[in-house]
Amino acid sequence: MTHPPGILEPLGPGLARLLAPNPSPFTGEGTWVHLIGSDRLAILDPGPADPAHLDAIVAAIGGRPVEAILVTHTHRDHSPGAAPLSAATGAPVWGCAPLAIPGDQEAGFDPDYAPDRVLADGETVALAGTRIEAVHTPGHTSNHLCFAWEHRLFSGDHVMGWSTTVVIPPDGHMGDYMASLQKLQRRSETLFHPAHGEPVEDPQRLLRGLLTHRIQRERQLLRLAGEQPGTVEELTGRAYPALDPRLVPAARATALAHLITLEEQGRVDCVQGIWKV
């Protein structure tokens, strides 16, 4: 199913979404912006700071008061639109913490994100005539939040409806990512709304599948490093022999995230860039 960007799509009472015009191998069709509420709104993940996209959000708001702009994490396809949308609507920006990583940051981060309020894990806020809970799910990024509303979970990039999640060190951490998947398994929401892809109607099944996929990849890298130690590039090439060249950097980063977690567990070593069991 394809969706035109900028068109408001109802998802049920008090919920609609709008697609940002930022398709890519990493975002699928683009980033979904969710509008929660009817007479009063909360806007979740405003997306990139694209003027035409922001005009489409304002048009979808239709003059209704916006009580807060919620942000799951600070990748450039999620948070940069928060500041200009806040200026246009007067709504505060609430959500994940800003990131301050020593040294070089991943190029995909938004360094200008400055929330008015950082929400803690388990914190519940009253917005748009309802209550929304922040759920800290580190892994994809250390500051990633999901948001729970009634039986729904807005899962950001932690659980997506079209692809597996990329985990890029040093901020992304595979052990944290897998623990966050297990955390969501213990919750009761029955419908996930990711920032990319379609709603997930059987989230527990998908969570099991994501965990199984990660465990299998971990075992594969252990086997490959045991058979023939190598660099991250070499091991990634053997683990993903027919990968789309555009996705090779993401695959290498995710393989490195696995290897770092395995090293923390004492299961592999890295000597002069060579990973071995």
Side-chain angles (χ1 to χ4, degrees):
M1 182 184 298
T2 58
H3 303 270
I7 304 300
L8 191 65
E9 178 181 322
L11 294 176
L15 181 63
R17 66 180 183 175
L18 179 148
L19 185 65
N22 60 334
S24 79
F26 302 99
T27 61
E29 288 190 90
T31 303
W32 283 112
V33 182
H34 287 92
L35 287 70
I36 303 170
S38 297
D39 299 327
R40 297 171 286 154
L41 299 175
I43 308 297
L44 177 58
D45 273 354
D50 175 88
H53 169 58
L54 292 168
D55 286 346
I57 297 176
V58 171
I61 290 168
R64 290 173 290 180
V66 179
E67 296 185 337
I69 299 163
L70 301 174
V71 177
T72 60
H73 66 296
T74 48
H75 274 156
R76 291 182 185 272
D77 59 320
H78 289 257
S79 61
L85 187 61
S86 174
T89 63
V93 178
W94 294 358
C96 67
L99 283 179
I101 304 173
D104 294 334
Q105 283 201 106
E106 178 199 333
F109 278 112
D110 171 16
D112 299 320
Y113 171 73
D116 297 292
R117 178 176 175 181
V118 173
L119 299 179
D121 181 37
E123 186 173 356
T124 301
V125 293
L127 288 172
T130 189
R131 301 194 69 82
I132 299 172
E133 178 189 356
V135 183
H136 187 212
T137 49
H140 175 63
T141 61
S142 62
N143 64 347
H144 194 286
L145 292 177
C146 295
F147 291 94
W149 171 53
E150 297 179 347
H151 67 289
R152 307 171 187 262
L153 185 90
F154 298 92
S155 57
D157 281 6
H158 184 66
V159 176
M160 297 193 293
W162 80 289
S163 174
T164 56
T165 297
V166 175
V167 179
I168 302 178
D171 182 67
H173 190 278
M174 188 58 69
D176 289 347
Y177 171 72
M178 295 174 72
S180 293
L181 289 175
Q182 293 170 326
K183 178 178 183 176
L184 294 188
Q185 284 185 312
R186 297 190 292 270
R187 295 186 60 89
S188 61
E189 288 80 22
T190 57
L191 181 63
F192 283 13
H193 292 282
H196 308 282
E198 294 306 303
V200 178
E201 296 182 352
D202 189 352
Q204 288 298 328
R205 179 180 179 182
L206 179 57
L207 290 168
R208 288 193 300 271
L210 291 172
L211 277 166
T212 298
H213 173 71
R214 286 287 146 229
I215 292 168
Q216 289 174 341
R217 185 68 72 193
E218 178 182 272
R219 291 173 178 170
Q220 180 191 35
L221 288 167
L222 273 173
R223 176 178 57 80
L224 292 172
E227 291 172 351
Q228 182 180 341
T231 64
V232 170
E233 292 79 9
E234 291 166 344
L235 293 173
T236 303
R238 288 153 58 196
Y240 302 84
L243 188 64
D244 182 333
R246 297 174 298 173
L247 301 179
V248 167
R252 287 176 179 168
T254 300
L256 177 60
H258 271 297
L259 291 166
I260 289 171
T261 296
L262 289 168
E263 184 181 37
E264 292 170 352
Q265 296 169 351
R267 301 169 73 186
V268 300
D269 290 318
C270 184
V271 180
Q272 295 182 337
I274 303 297
W275 292 88
K276 61 181 183 179
V277 173

